[in-house]
C-alpha cells in the first residue's frame, strides 16, 4: 500500500513540475529570465527555510556549509540558468524530452567519476539514449535549434548536482539543501541580470498569478518527491518519474499549441526506453548482490 501511495505522490509531483515549467515559460514572454529566477529563488528559498526552522533543523550547521554542499548549490544555479533560458526559447515538450536523458548522464557520471561498475549493457543503453537526444536536437540538420543546447547544459549541471548529493553528509537536512539550492538560483538570476544587461520590469497583475503558480507547484513537486521516497521503495517509484514528459507534452500542446514532430517523438521514445532499461538493469543487479550477501 505504501508503494501505491508513493507512486501517486510521484505522479502528482511530476505533474506539479510540468505545471511549474509551463508557468515559467508563460512568464518568460514578458519577464526577463533572470528576474524570474530571482523571484522564484527567493520565494521558494524562504519556504524551505521556514520548513527547516519549523522542523528544528540547524540551518547554519557547519556540515551544511562545507565545500561539497556549496559546489552542489553552484551546479543547481548553473542548471537553473540553462533550464530557464531553454524554456524561454524552446518548445516545452522538447525541453522535457531532452531533460529525460538526465538519469542516463547520472549513470555515466557515476561510472566515470565515482567508480561505480557499469557493464556493457548499460553503456549500450546510455548510447541509445544519447542517439535519442541527437534525434531531438538534430545538429547539422535543417531542424537544428542551437537553443536546445541550453537543455543539454542543464542536464549536465543537474546530473553533477545529483552525483554530489550522493556524497553529502547525512546530517545535512533536505530542507537546508533545498534552501541552499534556491539561494543559488537567486544569485544566478542576479548574475544573469547583470551580465546579460537584462532590465528589471514592474510586474503587472496578470503576472502575479503565474508567479504564484510557479512557486506553489515548485514547492508541491519537491514536497511530493520527498514524501514519496520516505513511504515507498525507490525501485518501485523511479520509473514513474518519466510521467513528467507526458504532462509536459500535454501542457505544451494545450497552452502553447506545440505539436512535436515524429523525430522528436521517436527520440523521446529512445530516451525513455533506454532510461527504463538502465533502471531495470540496476534493480536486477542490486537484487543479485543482495542474494549473494
Amino acid at each position: 500500500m505504501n508503494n501505491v501511495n508513493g507512486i501517486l505522490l510521484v505522479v502528482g509531483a511530476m505533474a506539479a513540475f510540468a505545471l511549474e515549467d509551463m508557468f515559467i515559460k508563460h512568464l518568460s514572454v514578458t519577464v526577463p529570465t533572470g528576474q524570474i529566477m530571482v523571484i522564484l529563488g527567493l520565494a521558494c528559498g524562504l519556504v524551505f527555510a521556514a520548513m527547516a526552522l519549523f522542523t528544528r533543523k540547524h540551518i547554519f550547521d557547519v556540515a551544511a556549509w562545507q565545500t561539497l554542499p556549496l559546489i552542489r548549490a553552484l551546479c543547481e544555479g548553473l542548471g537553473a540558468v540553462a533550464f530557464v533560458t531553454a524554456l524561454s526559447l524552446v518548445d516545452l515538450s522538447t525541453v522535457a524530452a531532452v531533460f529525460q536523458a538526465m538519469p542516463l548522464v547520472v549513470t555515466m557520471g557515476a561510472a566515470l567519476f565515482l567508480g561505480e561498475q557499469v557493464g556493457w549493457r548499460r553503456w549500450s543503453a546510455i548510447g541509445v539514449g544519447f542517439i535519442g537526444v541527437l534525434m531531438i536536437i538534430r545538429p547539422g540538420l535543417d531542424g537544428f535549434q542551437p537553443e536546445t543546447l541550453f537543455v543539454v547544459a542543464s542536464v549536465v549541471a543537474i546530473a553533477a548536482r545529483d552525483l554530489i548529493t550522493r556524497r553529502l553528509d547525512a546530517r545535512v537536512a533536505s530542507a537546508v539543501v533545498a534552501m541552499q539550492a534556491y539561494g543559488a538560483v537567486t544569485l544566478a538570476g542576479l548574475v544573469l541580470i547583470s551580465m546579460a544587461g537584462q532590465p528589471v520590469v514592474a510586474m503587472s497583475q496578470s503576472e502575479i498569478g503565474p508567479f504564484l503558480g510557479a512557486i506553489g507547484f515548485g514547492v508541491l513537486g519537491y514536497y511530493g518527491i520527498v514524501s514519496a521516497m520516505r513511504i515507498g521503495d525507490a525501485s518501485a517509484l523511479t520509473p514513474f518519474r518519466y510521467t513528467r514528459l507526458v504532462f509536459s507534452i500535454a501542457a505544451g500542446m494545450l497552452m502553447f499549441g506545440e505539436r512535436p514532430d515524429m523525430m522528436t517523438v521517436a527520440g523521446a521514445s529512445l530516451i525513455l526506453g533506454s532510461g527504463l532499461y538502465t533502471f531495470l538493469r540496476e534493480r536486477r543487479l542490486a537484487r543479485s548482490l543482495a542474494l549473494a550477501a
Side-chain angles (χ1 to χ4, degrees), residues 25 87 90-100 136 245 247-253 256 258-261 264 268:
K25 183 170 181 63
L87 282 175
V90 184
D91 284 353
L92 177 60
S93 53
T94 300
V95 173
V98 176
F99 197 75
Q100 298 310 305
I136 297 170
L245 178 58
F247 292 123
S248 294
I249 289 176
M253 294 176 68
F256 306 110
E258 299 173 3
R259 294 294 182 270
D261 57 24
T264 298

Side-chain angles (χ1 to χ4, degrees), residues 36-166:
I36 293 173
M37 291 175 61
V38 170
I39 294 173
L40 293 182
L42 284 174
C44 295
L46 288 173
V47 169
F48 285 111
M51 288 175 59
L53 292 173
F54 181 76
T55 55
R56 298 183 179 180
K57 305 299 182 185
H58 298 292
I59 292 178
F60 297 106
D61 190 331
V62 175
W65 300 94
Q66 300 295 325
T67 302
L68 206 57
L70 295 179
I71 293 176
R72 182 197 182 278
L74 175 63
C75 291
E76 186 84 56
L78 293 173
V81 169
F83 190 80
V84 173
T85 302
L87 282 175
S88 69
L89 300 173
V90 184
D91 284 353
L92 177 60
S93 53
T94 300
V95 173
V98 176
F99 197 75
Q100 298 310 305
M102 200 264 290
L104 299 174
V105 178
V106 170
T107 300
M108 183 177 69
L112 295 177
F113 302 110
L114 301 183
E116 295 187 12
Q117 295 298 314
V118 175
W120 68 269
R121 292 181 180 85
R122 283 187 288 169
W123 277 116
S124 299
I126 291 170
V128 170
F130 287 156
I131 291 173
V133 172
L134 291 174
M135 290 173 65
I136 297 170
I137 296 177
R138 298 165 221 179
L141 301 179
D142 291 338
F144 173 59
Q145 291 181 274
E147 296 86 357
T148 54
L149 296 178
F150 282 112
V151 195
V152 177
S154 176
V155 167
V156 173
I158 299 302
R161 177 205 69 183
D162 286 354
L163 289 170
I164 292 170
T165 303
R166 298 185 183 188

Side-chain angles (χ1 to χ4, degrees), residues 191-230:
V191 171
L192 185 61
I193 290 172
S194 175
M195 294 187 65
Q198 294 183 354
V200 177
V201 300
M203 282 195 302
S204 65
Q205 284 190 335
S206 62
E207 292 164 346
I208 294 175
F211 264 117
L212 292 176
I215 293 165
F217 283 116
V219 172
L220 283 174
Y222 182 88
Y223 183 80
I225 282 294
V226 171
S227 299
M229 293 304 173
R230 285 181 174 174

